[in-house]
Amino acid sequence: MPIVHPPAQPSHLGQLRTFIRLFLPTCLVLLIIGGMHYYTFYTTEHSRIESTESLNVDLARRMIQEDIADVVKDLRFLAEHIEIQGLPEALPWTREQRIAEEFRVFAKNKGLYDQIRYLDNSGMEIVRVNYNDGDVEVVPYAALQNKANRYYFREAMAQEPGGIYLSRFDLNVENGKIEEPFKPVIRFATPVVNHSGNKSGIVLINYLGARLIDNFSRAAASIADHIELLNSDGYWLSSPRHENEWGFMLDSGNRFQNGKPAAWQEIATNESGQFETPEGFFTYMTIYPLQAALAALPATIANTVSDNKKQNSQWKIVSHIPADQISSTFPLFLKNNGALYLSMFLLVFVGTGFLARTTHLHRISEAQRDYEQRFRHTLENIELAAVALNQQGKLTFCNNHFLDITGWERKDIIGKDWIKQLVAEQDKGEISDIIELMDSPRQFPSHLELQVKTRNGKPRLIAWNNTLSYNSKGEVIGVTGIGEDITDIRRTESELLKLYQAVEQSPSSVVITDPQGNIEYVNPKFTEVSGYRAKEVIGRNPRLLKSGETSRKEYSNLWETIQNGGEWRGEFHNRRKNGELFWEAAAISAIRDSEGNITSILAVKEDITEKKRLEKEVEKQNRELALAETMAAMGRMASMIAHDLRNPLSSVKMTLQILDKKADPVTSDDTQELCQISLEQIRYMEEILSDMLSYSHPDALKPEWIPIDKVIDLAIGMSQRRQHKKKITLHTQYHSGLPTIYADATKLRQVFSNLIANAFQAAADSENPRVSIEAMIELGHEGTNVRIDICDNGCGISEADQKRIFEPFFTTRAKGTGLGLPIVKRILEQHQAHILVFGNTPTGTRISVILPINPTTQTSTTEGHNHE
């Protein structure tokens, strides 16, 4: 409670008369000057309003035209992108997949379009992507609809190639009802042509009109309270009074011309202008949306596109300032110049008041002394320490609370030097300098923490609020301090600081949340591990780290353990800010108050990602060691079998071939048949020996730059006999621009020959056996790859078998070693390539081989030698 100057005593009547004689004439001069100033301001302000309104309306018009142009450019980009890539002629599943991915990425990055659709020339939706507040959804095939009977499809298909169709600006309607909350949309569409120049469909965009209206409002932000956007019928598309909007959709008869018919007659019959009526001041301009759209097209396209009159609608931008606002410039004048005139008024007032006040300073001095006496009485009764020092630093006053804190008697300290009696030795120099600052009031500290010596010798830390005391002449006569004993508070703060520093420097992540799980504190280790800064997570739930791999049951167990007063320990597989996954071992427990209520939840977590990685690495090395031992044993067995069986098999084979040639064809049909059966079985046994040797002794790669399409053609040639025999339809498609790849041509020919033969065999039992092979470029996370899809329409592979088909010796055929696909996978791994198995649509299997164009490191040639 600082000491302040006591209130002044009431002025004498003569002082008031003097004040009035000086004050009134000066106010009259100020009034005359202000009147002249206001007249000049009024004429200037009217001219400014005209130019400002015209400029803002034009800005709003250009903003709308730019928005429309941007949408048209996006629409043409999508259509031309589809045409250039040849997607109208692509296989259906390829076309749908690629267009859907293009639309999904485009919608997510733009965030402007409610729907992006591709419809074929029959009106069927091929792809539809919905955008909902950042959530992009590719609509499933079963939910797509035929829009052949919708007006926008018919009018869009009627456009010339490169033409643009714009729907009217209205509210989105779902299932015959206006969608709520209101969603203004404009549909933009353009035809898509194939390589022959024929229209194969349309690209249709539902543009979120809210953005156009927001940009319209921002462009004219300085007049946002009185600018409106109308359609050609006078209905409001945007208005400061939102209840007026969309009357033509809501069956409302409320239109602009209802209240302002004369103004609407002028606006409807002219392109732009400004005029003033008794209703106010109007500025307007006209926008033709279709013309704005065509202006965004290249000149070569725009010149060939006909102007459809049905689409040639117009919008009106209207700014209306009511008449009362035009005439009431006085409030604006006060806003701009009121501070100046108020300052002058206050200057006169203060000056005259100062003159009147100087004659009564002695009365103020008497009132001040009385005020100080009352104030000291108040200080005696407050629960804070209070002392007063004179300018020499001697204690002139202290209250009982101060005596209770220090243990001194009043007679022991009153009149004594404050520094010598009560200040600790180490603080005496500092306090002596502060007392000297009484002569410089601006430099005197108003707040100070100081240790005060007590009677028993134990210092107490007191936080002082200091206020200087003045006499009637404004001279400093002393200082009054009101203080609070903060000894125990600072001791507690010191202990808390140590604990805080320990947590801040902890090698473990520490997270504290409120009882609802909202984060209140994280230490620097949390930021280091997760990548999130503290300000990014405070107030949010720790679920932002979830990777989705921890089950709800585990989280329920965690909360149940904490609620029951226990400590939960376990592991989380979380996700960093950059998307990387990491493992944490966590100990989570509740912090409770004195009544047992949970006030916070504490989680101490340790990053064990490296530990997990090392465990997996050890496990992987153990598996590889076991596989190496198995392969070594298999290699020795294969070598033994080849050595012990190949020569006898060759002798038997040669004998059977000789018998077959020497047998009499007339009398020895049975002998020839037996020879052929035996020879076929011997060849089958030789294939088994060859596969075992090939799998157990993989050869080193001999890479070179090769065209992948030539390799596939050679592999097809090796399987043509089976294709012709089973009457299988083969379709191949090599996308343009396929690059050469750095690989072993012989090995890859073996891979594709095996996969194509499997596809022929799988499709052979179908009613109309078909196999398709497609090669394309694919952009992946690790660079550019070549992807080859081999599809058949056979019976397919079950999910259980898909997980095992690459295991050695696993086969679903009556005859076979089960080494064909493991050999394929071994060769692709040598090339740093991948092989994936999917179900085909509607039946069959799709095998995808993904080959890097130029592997970063070529497979070591020692792999084949390790088993020799």
Side-chain angles (χ1 to χ4, degrees):
M1 185 182 297
I3 294 179
V4 296
H5 295 293
Q9 298 298 318
S11 300
H12 192 269
L13 181 60
Q15 180 185 357
L16 178 59
R17 291 175 179 174
T18 303
F19 174 81
I20 293 174
R21 282 197 303 269
L22 294 173
F23 183 72
L24 290 181
T26 308
C27 287
L28 181 60
V29 173
L30 284 177
L31 184 61
I32 295 172
I33 295 173
M36 297 175 64
H37 188 186
Y38 173 70
Y39 177 78
T40 305
F41 175 81
Y42 176 83
T43 56
T44 304
E45 183 63 16
H46 199 275
S47 298
R48 185 193 64 80
I49 290 174
E50 293 180 359
S51 60
T52 299
E53 295 297 302
S54 179
L55 174 63
N56 279 276
V57 169
D58 186 58
L59 286 174
R61 177 186 62 82
R62 285 187 287 174
M63 177 57 70
I64 292 177
Q65 291 176 336
E66 289 173 3
D67 274 5
I68 293 174
D70 289 343
V71 177
V72 170
K73 292 175 183 177
D74 289 345
L75 180 66
R76 288 301 307 155
F77 169 80
L78 291 174
E80 291 173 1
H81 195 60
I82 292 173
E83 294 170 355
I84 291 172
Q85 292 192 352
L87 294 180
E89 294 87 2
L91 291 174
W93 68 270
T94 302
R95 175 185 62 183
E96 296 165 8
Q97 182 181 20
R98 294 183 63 186
I99 292 178
E101 181 60 20
E102 296 281 355
F103 283 6
R104 186 189 67 79
V105 174
F106 190 84
K108 184 175 183 180
N109 289 332
K110 283 291 184 177
L112 305 177
Y113 304 118
D114 183 46
Q115 288 185 349
I116 305 178
R117 290 180 278 180
Y118 174 70
L119 290 73
D120 63 18
N121 52 15
S122 69
M124 184 64 196
E125 291 180 332
I126 304 302
V127 174
R128 183 168 85 227
V129 174
N130 294 336
Y131 179 86
N132 185 16
D133 295 333
D135 184 18
V136 180
E137 176 193 11
V138 178
V139 177
Y141 177 81
L144 299 179
Q145 304 174 12
N146 191 300
K147 302 294 183 178
N149 295 326
R150 299 304 295 270
Y151 69 92
Y152 55 79
F153 172 76
R154 295 194 301 271
E155 294 185 21
M157 282 297 293
Q159 298 294 314
E160 295 293 330
I164 299 298
Y165 164 74
L166 270 74
S167 72
R168 69 174 185 172
F169 191 12
D170 57 16
L171 300 177
N172 192 44
V173 177
E174 291 291 340
N175 300 321
K177 294 183 179 180
I178 297 175
E179 184 177 355
E180 293 187 1
F182 292 164
K183 184 184 289 184
V185 294
I186 308 177
R187 296 180 180 85
F188 292 73
T190 187
V192 176
V193 300
N194 56 25
H195 287 166
S196 301
N198 298 320
K199 288 183 283 187
S200 60
I202 66 170
V203 175
L204 180 66
I205 290 178
N206 284 16
Y207 175 56
L208 290 171
R211 180 178 184 272
L212 183 143
I213 293 175
D214 289 343
N215 289 342
F216 165 81
S217 299
R218 283 196 295 271
S222 61
I223 62 170
D225 61 332
H226 60 268
I227 190 168
E228 303 166 316
L229 180 63
L230 310 172
N231 66 11
S232 57
D233 296 325
Y235 287 102
W236 282 277
L237 302 177
S238 174
S239 171
R241 299 179 60 188
H242 298 301
E243 64 272 18
N244 290 338
E245 297 173 346
W246 310 110
F248 63 97
M249 294 291 294
L250 304 175
D251 296 328
S252 169
N254 188 17
R255 293 193 288 176
F256 182 91
Q257 53 265 43
N258 294 349
K260 306 176 185 67
W264 177 249
Q265 180 65 28
E266 174 73 16
I267 293 170
T269 56
N270 295 287
E271 293 289 318
S272 62
Q274 288 182 316
F275 61 93
E276 190 169 358
T277 71
E279 297 167 339
F281 183 78
F282 296 84
T283 305
Y284 66 96
M285 287 187 180
T286 305
I287 294 178
Y288 294 93
L290 182 60
Q291 291 183 4
L294 295 178
L297 297 176
T300 55
I301 296 178
N303 292 336
T304 62
V305 177
S306 62
D307 186 359
N308 189 334
K309 292 184 179 179
K310 293 182 179 179
Q311 297 186 52
N312 197 20
S313 62
Q314 63 182 13
W315 301 338
K316 296 287 185 176
I317 301 175
V318 180
S319 166
H320 172 220
I321 302 178
D324 57 345
Q325 292 186 20
I326 291 292
S327 59
S328 62
T329 55
F330 185 72
L332 182 61
F333 174 80
L334 288 180
K335 179 180 178 182
N336 294 341
N337 303 282
L340 173 63
Y341 287 99
L342 179 61
S343 299
M344 296 172 66
F345 176 84
L346 291 177
L347 181 61
V348 172
F349 182 85
V350 172
T352 53
F354 178 78
L355 292 176
R357 181 174 178 275
T358 54
T359 60
H360 299 276
L361 287 178
H362 65 283
R363 294 183 180 177
I364 295 175
S365 177
E366 292 176 357
Q368 180 179 357
R369 284 194 297 270
D370 181 61
Y371 174 78
E372 289 180 356
Q373 291 176 359
R374 294 195 306 271
F375 184 65
R376 287 199 175 189
H377 177 73
T378 301
L379 293 181
E380 286 289 352
N381 299 296
I382 63 174
E383 292 299 320
L384 294 171
V387 298
L389 306 179
N390 61 18
Q391 200 170 15
Q392 290 73 40
K394 295 184 181 297
L395 190 66
T396 60
F397 167 81
C398 69
N399 66 354
N400 292 331
H401 190 77
F402 177 78
L403 297 175
D404 294 338
I405 292 174
T406 60
W408 294 103
E409 296 288 341
R410 195 180 303 273
K411 61 181 181 179
D412 296 330
I413 56 176
I414 293 297
K416 301 294 179 66
D417 188 282
W418 171 264
I419 296 176
K420 293 179 179 179
Q421 186 74 14
L422 296 167
V423 176
E425 192 67 33
Q426 65 271 18
D427 296 330
K428 288 183 177 180
E430 178 185 357
I431 300 305
S432 178
D433 294 337
I434 291 175
I435 289 177
E436 292 178 0
L437 290 175
M438 286 189 193
D439 295 330
S440 304
R442 292 186 179 181
Q443 300 179 22
F444 192 85
S446 59
H447 302 281
L448 178 67
E449 291 186 6
L450 176 66
Q451 286 191 341
V452 176
K453 290 192 299 185
T454 62
R455 191 182 188 93
N456 60 15
K458 295 181 179 180
R460 303 294 294 180
L461 182 63
I462 299 178
W464 296 101
N465 289 312
N466 304 315
T467 302
L468 294 175
S469 299
Y470 299 85
N471 60 17
S472 60
K473 298 180 180 180
E475 298 172 343
V476 175
I477 58 175
V479 61
T480 300
I482 299 176
E484 179 183 6
D485 187 354
I486 59 172
T487 307
D488 297 333
I489 295 175
R490 288 292 181 264
R491 184 182 301 114
T492 302
E493 288 177 351
S494 177
E495 294 174 355
L496 289 175
L497 179 61
K498 293 177 184 178
L499 178 60
Y500 173 76
Q501 290 174 341
V503 172
E504 283 284 294
Q505 299 171 14
S506 172
S508 300
S509 297
V510 178
V511 180
I512 300 176
T513 73
D514 62 19
Q516 289 72 42
N518 299 314
I519 296 176
E520 295 179 334
Y521 168 81
V522 293
N523 70 341
K525 188 64 178 181
F526 173 88
T527 298
E528 178 186 338
V529 172
S530 69
Y532 288 96
R533 291 176 295 175
K535 66 179 182 180
E536 295 178 304
V537 298
I538 297 299
R540 300 179 64 183
N541 195 283
R543 68 170 64 95
L544 64 91
L545 299 176
K546 287 175 59 176
S547 65
E549 298 186 17
T550 304
S551 67
R552 289 182 177 271
K553 183 177 180 181
E554 292 181 76
Y555 284 115
S556 298
N557 179 46
L558 183 155
W559 281 104
E560 183 178 353
T561 302
I562 293 174
Q563 292 291 339
N564 293 333
E567 180 183 61
W568 183 89
R569 291 182 178 270
E571 295 179 354
F572 292 118
H573 201 190
N574 286 335
R575 189 181 301 277
R576 292 188 173 93
K577 182 180 180 181
N578 61 8
E580 295 179 359
L581 296 176
F582 68 102
W583 284 94
E584 284 187 313
I588 304 177
S589 58
I591 301 174
R592 300 176 183 270
D593 58 19
S594 58
E595 298 179 356
N597 299 317
I598 294 178
T599 59
S600 301
I601 298 173
L602 171 67
V604 180
K605 303 185 288 185
E606 180 184 0
D607 186 356
I608 58 172
T609 306
E610 183 64 18
K611 177 182 176 182
K612 286 280 189 180
R613 187 192 67 79
L614 291 175
E615 290 175 354
K616 288 184 178 180
E617 186 68 24
V618 170
E619 182 181 353
K620 178 182 178 183
Q621 290 178 356
N622 289 338
R623 288 198 306 268
E624 291 177 350
L625 179 60
L627 179 61
E629 293 174 352
T630 301
M631 296 307 298
M634 182 177 172
R636 290 192 296 271
M637 180 184 70
S639 298
M640 180 189 70
I641 292 173
H643 181 270
D644 292 345
L645 293 183
R646 270 191 170 177
N647 289 338
L649 285 175
S650 297
S651 299
V652 173
K653 181 179 179 181
M654 186 180 298
T655 301
L656 291 172
Q657 288 173 340
I658 293 172
L659 288 175
D660 184 40
K661 291 180 180 180
K662 288 184 176 182
D664 186 348
V666 178
T667 61
S668 305
D669 289 343
D670 293 341
T671 302
Q672 285 183 328
E673 183 178 357
L674 291 173
C675 288
Q676 291 299 324
I677 293 173
S678 301
L679 287 172
E680 184 178 348
Q681 294 302 315
I682 289 173
R683 293 189 188 99
Y684 175 60
M685 294 173 67
E686 288 178 336
E687 289 179 3
I688 293 175
L689 291 174
S690 177
D691 284 349
M692 291 178 66
L693 288 173
S694 176
Y695 186 73
S696 61
H697 292 281
D699 298 329
L701 295 182
K702 297 178 181 178
E704 57 184 329
W705 290 101
I706 58 174
I708 190 62
D709 51 347
K710 301 299 182 184
V711 174
I712 298 174
D713 287 340
L714 289 174
I716 293 173
M718 297 172 64
S719 304
Q720 279 185 341
R721 183 175 64 85
R722 178 174 295 178
Q723 175 196 356
H724 296 319
K725 181 178 179 181
K726 298 295 184 179
K727 297 182 180 181
I728 299 172
T729 301
L730 176 64
H731 175 73
T732 60
Q733 181 181 1
Y734 303 137
H735 289 213
S736 60
L738 286 176
T740 57
I741 63 173
Y742 192 66
D744 188 322
T746 302
K747 294 280 190 182
L748 289 186
R749 187 164 60 249
Q750 180 182 356
V751 167
F752 291 115
S753 176
N754 193 319
L755 295 177
I756 293 170
N758 286 350
F760 284 160
Q761 185 171 354
D765 296 332
S766 301
E767 183 176 352
N768 295 307
R770 297 189 308 276
V771 173
S772 66
I773 303 174
E774 183 178 6
M776 67 195 79
I777 296 176
E778 180 178 78
L779 297 178
H781 295 294
E782 300 176 357
T784 305
N785 304 317
V786 174
R787 173 175 166 179
I788 301 94
D789 288 346
I790 302 172
C791 304
D792 64 71
N793 65 339
C795 61
I797 303 174
S798 67
E799 292 186 5
D801 289 343
Q802 286 182 17
K803 299 177 181 179
R804 300 191 59 195
I805 58 175
F806 294 108
E807 295 180 5
F809 305 110
F810 174 79
T811 180
T812 59
R813 301 176 185 172
K815 294 176 62 177
T817 62
L819 291 174
L821 288 179
I823 290 172
V824 166
K825 187 174 183 181
R826 172 72 64 83
I827 293 173
L828 292 177
E829 287 176 347
Q830 287 181 294
H831 285 83
Q832 301 178 21
H834 304 284
I835 182 169
L836 304 172
V837 182
F838 305 96
N840 198 21
T841 302
T843 61
T845 304
R846 172 164 62 95
I847 303 292
S848 295
V849 176
I850 302 172
L851 292 163
I853 293 177
N854 184 15
T856 53
T857 57
Q858 298 303 324
T859 304
S860 173
T861 58
T862 62
E863 182 178 351
H865 302 299
N866 289 339
H867 303 287
E868 296 180 357

